[in-house]
Amino acid sequence: MNILRNSLAVVAVSALLGLTAACGSGKATVCKEAVEALTGYSSKVAGAAADVEGFNTATGKLATQFKDLSGKADGDLKVALAGMADSWGSFKLDLSDPNAATKLVEFGQKAQQSSQQLASACS
């Protein structure tokens, strides 16, 4: 569990670092809120330890935050946030699934791609 949780936290932190560098332009408020959402998520995931349900709840809430933020945006920023909402919303950690590690890698790739889109849209 710790390896999976830590891997996902790394995805969140890498997205956060990309966004922190990219915040600018007239979209700054929405981009700042996206950074704050990722920061809060990283803290919750770090505190979840072996609590899979807490981890999944935090991930679902982050997806909802991205969806709400996409409603405040337009253009590339809206598309990027909607993509992040879809990526984070589709991920549920299930330790009984023998393919959990593979799913985490796939999710990490999707999350990283959507985070890069967001960073680009915020620049």
Side-chain angles (χ1 to χ4, degrees):
M1 170 59 189
N2 284 340
I3 292 171
L4 295 175
R5 181 180 50 82
N6 290 340
S7 297
L8 194 53
V10 167
V11 170
V13 169
S14 65
L16 178 63
L17 292 175
L19 285 175
T20 302
C23 273
S25 76
K27 310 167 199 173
T29 300
V30 175
C31 292
K32 181 181 175 194
E33 289 180 39
V35 170
E36 289 170 355
L38 280 166
T39 301
Y41 174 78
S42 295
S43 297
K44 288 175 187 171
V45 169
D51 179 11
V52 175
E53 197 56 42
F55 177 85
N56 287 334
T57 298
T59 302
K61 285 183 181 178
L62 180 62
T64 300
Q65 288 178 296
F66 286 142
K67 183 177 179 183
D68 292 346
L69 287 171
S70 75
K72 297 179 182 180
D74 57 10
D76 292 343
L77 182 55
K78 182 178 192 78
V79 170
L81 287 164
M84 290 187 83
D86 289 343
S87 292
W88 292 89
S90 68
F91 186 74
K92 296 281 187 240
L93 186 59
D94 179 2
L95 297 180
S96 67
D97 183 353
N99 296 316
T102 301
K103 289 179 180 179
L104 178 65
V105 170
E106 291 170 0
F107 169 73
Q109 291 169 344
K110 280 200 261 183
Q112 187 174 21
Q113 289 170 349
S114 60
S115 298
Q116 289 169 347
Q117 285 181 312
L118 183 60
S120 176
C122 285
S123 62

